[in-house]
Amino acid sequence: MLPFTRPTLDTEEFEAIKEVLQSGWLATGPKVAAFEAALADYIGGGVQVRVFNSGTSALEAVLLAYGIGPGDEVIVPAMSFVASANVIVRCGAAPKFVDVDLVSRNIDVDAVAAAITANTKAIIPVHFAGRAVELDAIYRLAERHKLLVLEDAAQAIGTQYNGRRIGSSGNPVCFSFHPNKNITTIEGGALALNDPALLKKIEGIRFHGIERDQQGGMDVPAWGGKMNMPDVGAALGLVQLKKLDGFNRKRRALVQRYLQQLPKHDALVLPADVDGHSWHMFCILLDWDKLGLNRNQALEALKQQAIAAGIHYPAMHLFSLYRQYGYKPGDFPNAERIGEQTLTLPLFPGMEDKDVDQVCSAIVSLLNRA
Ligand SMILES: Cc1ncc(COP(=O)(O)O)c(C=O)c1O
C-alpha cells in the first residue's frame, strides 16, 4: 500500500537515537540545545529558536505569553488542521474564522481585514501544505491595527517567502515535527522569535515556570506547563534537519511529475507550484457531482489500486465545538468546498517516479468516469 506520507528514516537516525538512549540522558538536555542552535542557524535572520513537545504547545505558549485570553478574538483560516483554532480556545479567547483561497488554501488579506473588530488581538496565518501566505500584506494590516501575527508554519519548515526562510523575520513563527511533517522528531515543535524578554517568559510557560539563578537556586515567579522536547526527539531532529533541503527538493520533483501528468479537467483543481513552496502535501480537489461518485467511493477505488489518499481537512468552523460559536454551513464557501472535495495524494521523499505515475493513472481513471 502506498501511504499518503511516510517519514524518511535510515541508519543515521537509528544510531542517533541509540546514542541518546545509551547516554542515560533521555529528557531535555544537550541534544535539545544543539537542535535549537541548528534550527536557528538553518532558519537564519538571527532569530532564536525554542523547541517544544509539539507544534500545538509552541502555538499555545506564544498566545499565553502575549496575554491572549478571555474577551479577545483571534483571526484564523477556516481551513487548517484543528490545532490552529484549538489553541485559541485553550487560551480562553474566541476564534474568528475567515475563508481561504481555493487554490493556495491560504487566508486572503481582504477577508482578514473584514474580520477585524475592536476585540481582535491576533492573526494566525497558516502556511497551508508548505505554501507561504502573502505575508507582507498581512503584516501591514496587523501593524495598522496593532495586532499580533503568529504564523502557524507547522507545515512549512524550509518554505521560503521573498527569498527568505519562513521563521527568519523575528516575529513569532511555530513549526511542527510530527511524523507526517517534512522532518520529524516523533512528536515535537519549535518557535522562532527575536524577542529576548518574550522568549524568557515562553521558557517559563514551557517548563513549570521555573527560573534558576547562577547558584542553582530555583524560583517560580509565574505559572508554567510541561511542554519540553526530550533529547531523543532532538537527536532525531538534528539528523533530519541536515537532510531537509534534499527532502524538499525531492518533494518538488515529485510534484512537478504530478503536475505534468495530471490532465486539465473541469472536475479537477490542482495546486500551483510557486517559488519557495516546501510541498508538505499535494492536495487536489475533485468535483464529486461532476464525476458522479462520492469521496468514499473514490477512496475505495484508490485503495483497490493500493493507494491510500488523505483528507486535509474538514472545514473547522463546522465541527460541533465551533458551531457553538455560531458558525454554520454556508459561512465560508471555499473552506467548505475544500473540506468536501479534497484528497491528499501520496507525497514523501521515499517515493519513486513510478509511484507518481501509478497515482496519476488511478486519478485519470476516476476522471474518465465523468
Ligand atoms: C497547520 C497545523 N497547525 C498546527 C499543528 C499542530 O502540530 P503538532 O501536531 O506538532 O502539535 C499541525 C499538525 O498537524 C498543523 O498541520
Side-chain angles (χ1 to χ4, degrees):
M1 196 77 168
L2 183 65
F4 77 83
T5 190
R6 181 191 291 146
T8 308
L9 306 169
D10 66 26
T11 42
E12 207 185 339
E13 279 86 351
F14 306 149
E15 286 305 319
I17 289 182
K18 197 167 119 192
E19 186 202 310
V20 175
L21 293 177
Q22 287 173 335
S23 76
W25 190 285
L26 312 188
T28 305
K31 295 293 180 190
V32 161
F35 187 40
E36 290 182 337
L39 277 168
D41 196 46
Y42 176 81
I43 290 167
V47 294
Q48 293 205 50
V49 171
R50 296 294 178 270
V51 293
F52 289 80
N53 56 4
S54 70
T56 306
S57 295
L59 290 165
E60 269 177 31
V62 174
L63 291 178
L64 290 170
Y66 279 88
I68 308 291
D72 297 338
E73 288 174 2
V74 178
I75 296 174
V76 68
M79 175 47 51
S80 180
F81 180 57
V82 71
S84 308
N86 282 351
V87 294
I88 300 167
V89 175
R90 166 71 184 82
C91 298
K96 182 88 180 188
F97 291 112
V98 295
D99 210 354
V100 297
D101 179 80
L102 206 57
V103 174
S104 71
R105 305 189 181 196
N106 284 339
I107 42 171
D108 159 282
V109 69
D110 294 331
V112 175
I116 294 173
T117 72
N119 295 326
T120 308
K121 288 286 156 30
I123 307 169
I124 302 186
V126 178
H127 302 290
F128 194 98
R131 175 169 172 164
V133 170
E134 286 305 326
L135 288 173
D136 286 346
I138 297 283
Y139 276 103
R140 272 198 303 272
L141 182 70
E143 203 172 321
R144 264 208 312 282
H145 293 270
K146 308 232 168 319
L147 304 176
L148 165 70
V149 178
L150 166 55
E151 292 175 44
D152 181 341
Q155 305 181 357
I157 186 78
T159 296
Q160 295 195 10
Y161 176 70
N162 286 347
R164 296 177 59 200
R165 290 212 169 99
I166 288 291
S168 62
S169 67
N171 299 299
V173 181
C174 293
F175 300 92
S176 166
F177 307 125
H178 175 274
N180 75 10
K181 299 300 190 291
N182 290 23
I183 57 169
T184 188
T185 58
I186 308 175
E187 295 285 1
L191 161 68
L193 178 63
N194 201 354
D195 183 331
L198 263 154
L199 278 163
K200 191 157 183 275
K201 202 165 172 186
I202 286 167
E203 282 171 359
I205 290 169
R206 180 173 65 167
F207 195 72
H208 303 297
I210 292 173
E211 270 183 15
R212 292 196 186 274
D213 62 26
Q214 305 243 320
Q215 290 72 44
M218 166 177 152
D219 186 29
V220 178
W223 171 89
K226 179 76 165 76
M227 306 178 174
N228 55 307
M229 177 184 279
D231 259 20
V232 180
L236 183 54
L238 276 164
V239 178
Q240 291 262 290
L241 184 60
K242 283 193 299 181
K243 302 179 178 178
L244 174 59
D245 286 344
F247 287 164
N248 287 354
R249 275 194 297 277
K250 179 70 189 287
R251 286 175 177 275
R252 164 159 270 150
L254 294 164
V255 163
Q256 282 165 350
R257 196 171 180 91
Y258 267 127
L259 292 174
Q260 274 157 15
Q261 294 198 23
L262 288 169
K264 282 206 164 37
H265 191 290
D266 69 351
L268 173 67
V269 178
L270 292 170
D273 189 18
V274 297
D275 280 351
H277 203 318
S278 63
W279 286 109
H280 167 54
M281 296 189 288
F282 186 78
C283 305
I284 64 170
L285 296 182
L286 286 171
D287 188 325
W288 309 120
D289 292 341
K290 284 187 183 149
L291 295 178
L293 81 169
N294 64 37
R295 185 160 53 195
N296 284 343
Q297 291 167 323
L299 287 170
E300 190 49 43
L302 293 174
K303 207 162 130 196
Q304 293 301 320
Q305 300 184 58
I307 297 163
I311 298 174
H312 300 94
Y313 298 92
M316 292 194 289
H317 64 290
L318 299 182
F319 290 134
S320 35
L321 167 62
Y322 294 110
R323 287 183 192 232
Q324 290 172 36
Y325 290 79
Y327 292 105
K328 56 187 184 319
D331 285 346
F332 305 113
N334 286 349
E336 288 169 32
R337 180 168 162 199
I338 293 166
E340 282 157 19
Q341 300 187 347
T342 191
L343 277 188
T344 304
L345 303 186
L347 180 64
F348 53 94
M351 272 172 74
E352 294 174 24
D353 285 354
K354 70 171 176 37
D355 298 321
V356 174
D357 300 352
Q358 182 198 346
V359 179
C360 289
S361 73
I363 297 295
V364 168
S365 320
L366 289 179
L367 294 171
N368 285 342
R369 297 167 58 128

mmCIF file with all atom_site columns, all heavy atoms in Angstrom, residues 129-147:
data_model
loop_
_atom_site.group_PDB
_atom_site.id
_atom_site.type_symbol
_atom_site.label_atom_id
_atom_site.label_alt_id
_atom_site.label_comp_id
_atom_site.label_asym_id
_atom_site.label_entity_id
_atom_site.label_seq_id
_atom_site.pdbx_PDB_ins_code
_atom_site.Cartn_x
_atom_site.Cartn_y
_atom_site.Cartn_z
_atom_site.occupancy
_atom_site.B_iso_or_equiv
_atom_site.pdbx_formal_charge
_atom_site.auth_seq_id
_atom_site.auth_comp_id
_atom_site.auth_asym_id
_atom_site.auth_atom_id
_atom_site.pdbx_PDB_model_num
ATOM 1   N N   . ALA A 1 129 ? 0.038  23.435 3.694  1.00 0.00 ? 129 ALA A N   1
ATOM 2   C CA  . ALA A 1 129 ? 0.765  22.419 2.918  1.00 0.00 ? 129 ALA A CA  1
ATOM 3   C C   . ALA A 1 129 ? 2.151  22.893 2.491  1.00 0.00 ? 129 ALA A C   1
ATOM 4   O O   . ALA A 1 129 ? 2.748  22.321 1.581  1.00 0.00 ? 129 ALA A O   1
ATOM 5   C CB  . ALA A 1 129 ? -0.045 21.986 1.697  1.00 0.00 ? 129 ALA A CB  1
ATOM 6   N N   . GLY A 1 130 ? 2.682  23.931 3.158  1.00 0.00 ? 130 GLY A N   1
ATOM 7   C CA  . GLY A 1 130 ? 4.033  24.399 2.835  1.00 0.00 ? 130 GLY A CA  1
ATOM 8   C C   . GLY A 1 130 ? 4.071  25.565 1.880  1.00 0.00 ? 130 GLY A C   1
ATOM 9   O O   . GLY A 1 130 ? 5.151  26.022 1.500  1.00 0.00 ? 130 GLY A O   1
ATOM 10  N N   . ARG A 1 131 ? 2.899  26.085 1.488  1.00 0.00 ? 131 ARG A N   1
ATOM 11  C CA  . ARG A 1 131 ? 2.871  27.253 0.601  1.00 0.00 ? 131 ARG A CA  1
ATOM 12  C C   . ARG A 1 131 ? 2.760  28.526 1.448  1.00 0.00 ? 131 ARG A C   1
ATOM 13  O O   . ARG A 1 131 ? 1.831  28.662 2.253  1.00 0.00 ? 131 ARG A O   1
ATOM 14  C CB  . ARG A 1 131 ? 1.687  27.160 -0.362 1.00 0.00 ? 131 ARG A CB  1
ATOM 15  C CG  . ARG A 1 131 ? 1.580  28.410 -1.200 1.00 0.00 ? 131 ARG A CG  1
ATOM 16  C CD  . ARG A 1 131 ? 0.623  28.291 -2.344 1.00 0.00 ? 131 ARG A CD  1
ATOM 17  N NE  . ARG A 1 131 ? 0.474  29.613 -2.945 1.00 0.00 ? 131 ARG A NE  1
ATOM 18  C CZ  . ARG A 1 131 ? -0.035 29.853 -4.137 1.00 0.00 ? 131 ARG A CZ  1
ATOM 19  N NH1 . ARG A 1 131 ? -0.455 28.848 -4.871 1.00 0.00 ? 131 ARG A NH1 1
ATOM 20  N NH2 . ARG A 1 131 ? -0.127 31.064 -4.607 1.00 0.00 ? 131 ARG A NH2 1
ATOM 21  N N   . ALA A 1 132 ? 3.688  29.444 1.256  1.00 0.00 ? 132 ALA A N   1
ATOM 22  C CA  . ALA A 1 132 ? 3.724  30.653 2.091  1.00 0.00 ? 132 ALA A CA  1
ATOM 23  C C   . ALA A 1 132 ? 2.505  31.532 1.854  1.00 0.00 ? 132 ALA A C   1
ATOM 24  O O   . ALA A 1 132 ? 2.086  31.753 0.720  1.00 0.00 ? 132 ALA A O   1
ATOM 25  C CB  . ALA A 1 132 ? 4.991  31.452 1.815  1.00 0.00 ? 132 ALA A CB  1
ATOM 26  N N   . VAL A 1 133 ? 1.964  32.033 2.946  1.00 0.00 ? 133 VAL A N   1
ATOM 27  C CA  . VAL A 1 133 ? 0.914  33.066 2.901  1.00 0.00 ? 133 VAL A CA  1
ATOM 28  C C   . VAL A 1 133 ? 1.551  34.357 2.366  1.00 0.00 ? 133 VAL A C   1
ATOM 29  O O   . VAL A 1 133 ? 2.754  34.585 2.545  1.00 0.00 ? 133 VAL A O   1
ATOM 30  C CB  . VAL A 1 133 ? 0.390  33.297 4.347  1.00 0.00 ? 133 VAL A CB  1
ATOM 31  C CG1 . VAL A 1 133 ? -0.514 34.512 4.435  1.00 0.00 ? 133 VAL A CG1 1
ATOM 32  C CG2 . VAL A 1 133 ? -0.321 32.054 4.862  1.00 0.00 ? 133 VAL A CG2 1
ATOM 33  N N   . GLU A 1 134 ? 0.755  35.219 1.734  1.00 0.00 ? 134 GLU A N   1
ATOM 34  C CA  . GLU A 1 134 ? 1.250  36.545 1.291  1.00 0.00 ? 134 GLU A CA  1
ATOM 35  C C   . GLU A 1 134 ? 1.440  37.406 2.550  1.00 0.00 ? 134 GLU A C   1
ATOM 36  O O   . GLU A 1 134 ? 0.554  38.150 2.965  1.00 0.00 ? 134 GLU A O   1
ATOM 37  C CB  . GLU A 1 134 ? 0.263  37.182 0.314  1.00 0.00 ? 134 GLU A CB  1
ATOM 38  C CG  . GLU A 1 134 ? 0.281  36.560 -1.071 1.00 0.00 ? 134 GLU A CG  1
ATOM 39  C CD  . GLU A 1 134 ? 1.683  36.548 -1.701 1.00 0.00 ? 134 GLU A CD  1
ATOM 40  O OE1 . GLU A 1 134 ? 2.465  37.493 -1.465 1.00 0.00 ? 134 GLU A OE1 1
ATOM 41  O OE2 . GLU A 1 134 ? 1.999  35.570 -2.408 1.00 0.00 ? 134 GLU A OE2 1
ATOM 42  N N   . LEU A 1 135 ? 2.609  37.283 3.148  1.00 0.00 ? 135 LEU A N   1
ATOM 43  C CA  . LEU A 1 135 ? 2.822  37.847 4.476  1.00 0.00 ? 135 LEU A CA  1
ATOM 44  C C   . LEU A 1 135 ? 2.928  39.369 4.501  1.00 0.00 ? 135 LEU A C   1
ATOM 45  O O   . LEU A 1 135 ? 2.510  39.994 5.478  1.00 0.00 ? 135 LEU A O   1
ATOM 46  C CB  . LEU A 1 135 ? 4.096  37.254 5.093  1.00 0.00 ? 135 LEU A CB  1
ATOM 47  C CG  . LEU A 1 135 ? 3.991  35.793 5.520  1.00 0.00 ? 135 LEU A CG  1
ATOM 48  C CD1 . LEU A 1 135 ? 5.364  35.275 5.947  1.00 0.00 ? 135 LEU A CD1 1
ATOM 49  C CD2 . LEU A 1 135 ? 2.992  35.614 6.667  1.00 0.00 ? 135 LEU A CD2 1
ATOM 50  N N   . ASP A 1 136 ? 3.487  39.970 3.448  1.00 0.00 ? 136 ASP A N   1
ATOM 51  C CA  . ASP A 1 136 ? 3.702  41.429 3.500  1.00 0.00 ? 136 ASP A CA  1
ATOM 52  C C   . ASP A 1 136 ? 2.390  42.153 3.783  1.00 0.00 ? 136 ASP A C   1
ATOM 53  O O   . ASP A 1 136 ? 2.328  43.037 4.641  1.00 0.00 ? 136 ASP A O   1
ATOM 54  C CB  . ASP A 1 136 ? 4.298  41.937 2.179  1.00 0.00 ? 136 ASP A CB  1
ATOM 55  C CG  . ASP A 1 136 ? 5.766  41.548 2.045  1.00 0.00 ? 136 ASP A CG  1
ATOM 56  O OD1 . ASP A 1 136 ? 6.359  41.140 3.075  1.00 0.00 ? 136 ASP A OD1 1
ATOM 57  O OD2 . ASP A 1 136 ? 6.306  41.625 0.933  1.00 0.00 ? 136 ASP A OD2 1
ATOM 58  N N   . ALA A 1 137 ? 1.343  41.750 3.067  1.00 0.00 ? 137 ALA A N   1
ATOM 59  C CA  . ALA A 1 137 ? 0.046  42.421 3.226  1.00 0.00 ? 137 ALA A CA  1
ATOM 60  C C   . ALA A 1 137 ? -0.523 42.151 4.623  1.00 0.00 ? 137 ALA A C   1
ATOM 61  O O   . ALA A 1 137 ? -1.099 43.046 5.256  1.00 0.00 ? 137 ALA A O   1
ATOM 62  C CB  . ALA A 1 137 ? -0.921 41.927 2.159  1.00 0.00 ? 137 ALA A CB  1
ATOM 63  N N   . ILE A 1 138 ? -0.338 40.924 5.119  1.00 0.00 ? 138 ILE A N   1
ATOM 64  C CA  . ILE A 1 138 ? -0.857 40.590 6.458  1.00 0.00 ? 138 ILE A CA  1
ATOM 65  C C   . ILE A 1 138 ? -0.145 41.432 7.526  1.00 0.00 ? 138 ILE A C   1
ATOM 66  O O   . ILE A 1 138 ? -0.774 41.986 8.438  1.00 0.00 ? 138 ILE A O   1
ATOM 67  C CB  . ILE A 1 138 ? -0.651 39.074 6.753  1.00 0.00 ? 138 ILE A CB  1
ATOM 68  C CG1 . ILE A 1 138 ? -1.439 38.200 5.773  1.00 0.00 ? 138 ILE A CG1 1
ATOM 69  C CG2 . ILE A 1 138 ? -0.981 38.731 8.215  1.00 0.00 ? 138 ILE A CG2 1
ATOM 70  C CD1 . ILE A 1 138 ? -2.918 38.105 6.027  1.00 0.00 ? 138 ILE A CD1 1
ATOM 71  N N   . TYR A 1 139 ? 1.184  41.526 7.410  1.00 0.00 ? 139 TYR A N   1
ATOM 72  C CA  . TYR A 1 139 ? 1.921  42.293 8.423  1.00 0.00 ? 139 TYR A CA  1
ATOM 73  C C   . TYR A 1 139 ? 1.580  43.784 8.361  1.00 0.00 ? 139 TYR A C   1
ATOM 74  O O   . TYR A 1 139 ? 1.515  44.458 9.394  1.00 0.00 ? 139 TYR A O   1
ATOM 75  C CB  . TYR A 1 139 ? 3.432  42.062 8.301  1.00 0.00 ? 139 TYR A CB  1
ATOM 76  C CG  . TYR A 1 139 ? 3.865  40.796 9.035  1.00 0.00 ? 139 TYR A CG  1
ATOM 77  C CD1 . TYR A 1 139 ? 4.140  39.629 8.352  1.00 0.00 ? 139 TYR A CD1 1
ATOM 78  C CD2 . TYR A 1 139 ? 3.966  40.783 10.429 1.00 0.00 ? 139 TYR A CD2 1
ATOM 79  C CE1 . TYR A 1 139 ? 4.516  38.465 9.029  1.00 0.00 ? 139 TYR A CE1 1
ATOM 80  C CE2 . TYR A 1 139 ? 4.334  39.632 11.118 1.00 0.00 ? 139 TYR A CE2 1
ATOM 81  C CZ  . TYR A 1 139 ? 4.615  38.478 10.411 1.00 0.00 ? 139 TYR A CZ  1
ATOM 82  O OH  . TYR A 1 139 ? 4.970  37.346 11.095 1.00 0.00 ? 139 TYR A OH  1
ATOM 83  N N   . ARG A 1 140 ? 1.360  44.306 7.130  1.00 0.00 ? 140 ARG A N   1
ATOM 84  C CA  . ARG A 1 140 ? 0.985  45.735 7.016  1.00 0.00 ? 140 ARG A CA  1
ATOM 85  C C   . ARG A 1 140 ? -0.344 45.981 7.717  1.00 0.00 ? 140 ARG A C   1
ATOM 86  O O   . ARG A 1 140 ? -0.510 46.936 8.476  1.00 0.00 ? 140 ARG A O   1
ATOM 87  C CB  . ARG A 1 140 ? 0.881  46.138 5.534  1.00 0.00 ? 140 ARG A CB  1
ATOM 88  C CG  . ARG A 1 140 ? 2.215  46.615 4.946  1.00 0.00 ? 140 ARG A CG  1
ATOM 89  C CD  . ARG A 1 140 ? 2.007  47.399 3.657  1.00 0.00 ? 140 ARG A CD  1
ATOM 90  N NE  . ARG A 1 140 ? 1.278  46.636 2.655  1.00 0.00 ? 140 ARG A NE  1
ATOM 91  C CZ  . ARG A 1 140 ? 1.863  45.824 1.762  1.00 0.00 ? 140 ARG A CZ  1
ATOM 92  N NH1 . ARG A 1 140 ? 3.168  45.678 1.747  1.00 0.00 ? 140 ARG A NH1 1
ATOM 93  N NH2 . ARG A 1 140 ? 1.146  45.155 0.882  1.00 0.00 ? 140 ARG A NH2 1
ATOM 94  N N   . LEU A 1 141 ? -1.291 45.072 7.479  1.00 0.00 ? 141 LEU A N   1
ATOM 95  C CA  . LEU A 1 141 ? -2.616 45.192 8.096  1.00 0.00 ? 141 LEU A CA  1
ATOM 96  C C   . LEU A 1 141 ? -2.501 45.091 9.627  1.00 0.00 ? 141 LEU A C   1
ATOM 97  O O   . LEU A 1 141 ? -3.110 45.879 10.371 1.00 0.00 ? 141 LEU A O   1
ATOM 98  C CB  . LEU A 1 141 ? -3.515 44.061 7.565  1.00 0.00 ? 141 LEU A CB  1
ATOM 99  C CG  . LEU A 1 141 ? -4.951 44.039 8.040  1.00 0.00 ? 141 LEU A CG  1
ATOM 100 C CD1 . LEU A 1 141 ? -5.727 45.211 7.441  1.00 0.00 ? 141 LEU A CD1 1
ATOM 101 C CD2 . LEU A 1 141 ? -5.630 42.720 7.641  1.00 0.00 ? 141 LEU A CD2 1
ATOM 102 N N   . ALA A 1 142 ? -1.716 44.133 10.090 1.00 0.00 ? 142 ALA A N   1
ATOM 103 C CA  . ALA A 1 142 ? -1.555 43.923 11.538 1.00 0.00 ? 142 ALA A CA  1
ATOM 104 C C   . ALA A 1 142 ? -0.936 45.150 12.188 1.00 0.00 ? 142 ALA A C   1
ATOM 105 O O   . ALA A 1 142 ? -1.334 45.559 13.284 1.00 0.00 ? 142 ALA A O   1
ATOM 106 C CB  . ALA A 1 142 ? -0.692 42.692 11.783 1.00 0.00 ? 142 ALA A CB  1
ATOM 107 N N   . GLU A 1 143 ? 0.016  45.757 11.506 1.00 0.00 ? 143 GLU A N   1
ATOM 108 C CA  . GLU A 1 143 ? 0.674  46.933 12.061 1.00 0.00 ? 143 GLU A CA  1
ATOM 109 C C   . GLU A 1 143 ? -0.325 48.086 12.202 1.00 0.00 ? 143 GLU A C   1
ATOM 110 O O   . GLU A 1 143 ? -0.364 48.765 13.224 1.00 0.00 ? 143 GLU A O   1
ATOM 111 C CB  . GLU A 1 143 ? 1.814  47.331 11.131 1.00 0.00 ? 143 GLU A CB  1
ATOM 112 C CG  . GLU A 1 143 ? 2.885  48.142 11.816 1.00 0.00 ? 143 GLU A CG  1
ATOM 113 C CD  . GLU A 1 143 ? 4.078  48.338 10.901 1.00 0.00 ? 143 GLU A CD  1
ATOM 114 O OE1 . GLU A 1 143 ? 4.437  47.378 10.167 1.00 0.00 ? 143 GLU A OE1 1
ATOM 115 O OE2 . GLU A 1 143 ? 4.619  49.442 10.891 1.00 0.00 ? 143 GLU A OE2 1
ATOM 116 N N   . ARG A 1 144 ? -1.173 48.237 11.152 1.00 0.00 ? 144 ARG A N   1
ATOM 117 C CA  . ARG A 1 144 ? -2.174 49.309 11.198 1.00 0.00 ? 144 ARG A CA  1
ATOM 118 C C   . ARG A 1 144 ? -3.117 49.150 12.388 1.00 0.00 ? 144 ARG A C   1
ATOM 119 O O   . ARG A 1 144 ? -3.531 50.109 12.996 1.00 0.00 ? 144 ARG A O   1
ATOM 120 C CB  . ARG A 1 144 ? -3.006 49.299 9.906  1.00 0.00 ? 144 ARG A CB  1
ATOM 121 C CG  . ARG A 1 144 ? -2.512 50.273 8.870  1.00 0.00 ? 144 ARG A CG  1
ATOM 122 C CD  . ARG A 1 144 ? -3.605 50.775 7.921  1.00 0.00 ? 144 ARG A CD  1
ATOM 123 N NE  . ARG A 1 144 ? -4.468 49.786 7.322  1.00 0.00 ? 144 ARG A NE  1
ATOM 124 C CZ  . ARG A 1 144 ? -4.140 49.014 6.296  1.00 0.00 ? 144 ARG A CZ  1
ATOM 125 N NH1 . ARG A 1 144 ? -2.941 49.106 5.763  1.00 0.00 ? 144 ARG A NH1 1
ATOM 126 N NH2 . ARG A 1 144 ? -4.992 48.145 5.796  1.00 0.00 ? 144 ARG A NH2 1
ATOM 127 N N   . HIS A 1 145 ? -3.470 47.891 12.711 1.00 0.00 ? 145 HIS A N   1
ATOM 128 C CA  . HIS A 1 145 ? -4.452 47.645 13.779 1.00 0.00 ? 145 HIS A CA  1
ATOM 129 C C   . HIS A 1 145 ? -3.801 47.210 15.093 1.00 0.00 ? 145 HIS A C   1
ATOM 130 O O   . HIS A 1 145 ? -4.486 46.782 16.004 1.00 0.00 ? 145 HIS A O   1
ATOM 131 C CB  . HIS A 1 145 ? -5.458 46.585 13.315 1.00 0.00 ? 145 HIS A CB  1
ATOM 132 C CG  . HIS A 1 145 ? -6.329 47.052 12.181 1.00 0.00 ? 145 HIS A CG  1
ATOM 133 N ND1 . HIS A 1 145 ? -7.535 47.678 12.380 1.00 0.00 ? 145 HIS A ND1 1
ATOM 134 C CD2 . HIS A 1 145 ? -6.138 47.022 10.852 1.00 0.00 ? 145 HIS A CD2 1
ATOM 135 C CE1 . HIS A 1 145 ? -8.074 47.990 11.210 1.00 0.00 ? 145 HIS A CE1 1
ATOM 136 N NE2 . HIS A 1 145 ? -7.240 47.605 10.261 1.00 0.00 ? 145 HIS A NE2 1
ATOM 137 N N   . LYS A 1 146 ? -2.463 47.251 15.137 1.00 0.00 ? 146 LYS A N   1
ATOM 138 C CA  . LYS A 1 146 ? -1.707 46.847 16.338 1.00 0.00 ? 146 LYS A CA  1
ATOM 139 C C   . LYS A 1 146 ? -2.065 45.418 16.780 1.00 0.00 ? 146 LYS A C   1
ATOM 140 O O   . LYS A 1 146 ? -2.426 45.164 17.929 1.00 0.00 ? 146 LYS A O   1
ATOM 141 C CB  . LYS A 1 146 ? -1.948 47.822 17.495 1.00 0.00 ? 146 LYS A CB  1
ATOM 142 C CG  . LYS A 1 146 ? -1.713 49.283 17.146 1.00 0.00 ? 146 LYS A CG  1
ATOM 143 C CD  . LYS A 1 146 ? -0.788 49.959 18.128 1.00 0.00 ? 146 LYS A CD  1
ATOM 144 C CE  . LYS A 1 146 ? -0.303 51.318 17.683 1.00 0.00 ? 146 LYS A CE  1
ATOM 145 N NZ  . LYS A 1 146 ? 0.056  51.465 16.262 1.00 0.00 ? 146 LYS A NZ  1
ATOM 146 N N   . LEU A 1 147 ? -2.000 44.482 15.850 1.00 0.00 ? 147 LEU A N   1
ATOM 147 C CA  . LEU A 1 147 ? -2.327 43.086 16.145 1.00 0.00 ? 147 LEU A CA  1
ATOM 148 C C   . LEU A 1 147 ? -1.065 42.224 16.124 1.00 0.00 ? 147 LEU A C   1
ATOM 149 O O   . LEU A 1 147 ? -0.143 42.483 15.345 1.00 0.00 ? 147 LEU A O   1
ATOM 150 C CB  . LEU A 1 147 ? -3.299 42.535 15.088 1.00 0.00 ? 147 LEU A CB  1
ATOM 151 C CG  . LEU A 1 147 ? -4.601 43.308 14.889 1.00 0.00 ? 147 LEU A CG  1
ATOM 152 C CD1 . LEU A 1 147 ? -5.409 42.696 13.750 1.00 0.00 ? 147 LEU A CD1 1
ATOM 153 C CD2 . LEU A 1 147 ? -5.405 43.321 16.179 1.00 0.00 ? 147 LEU A CD2 1
#
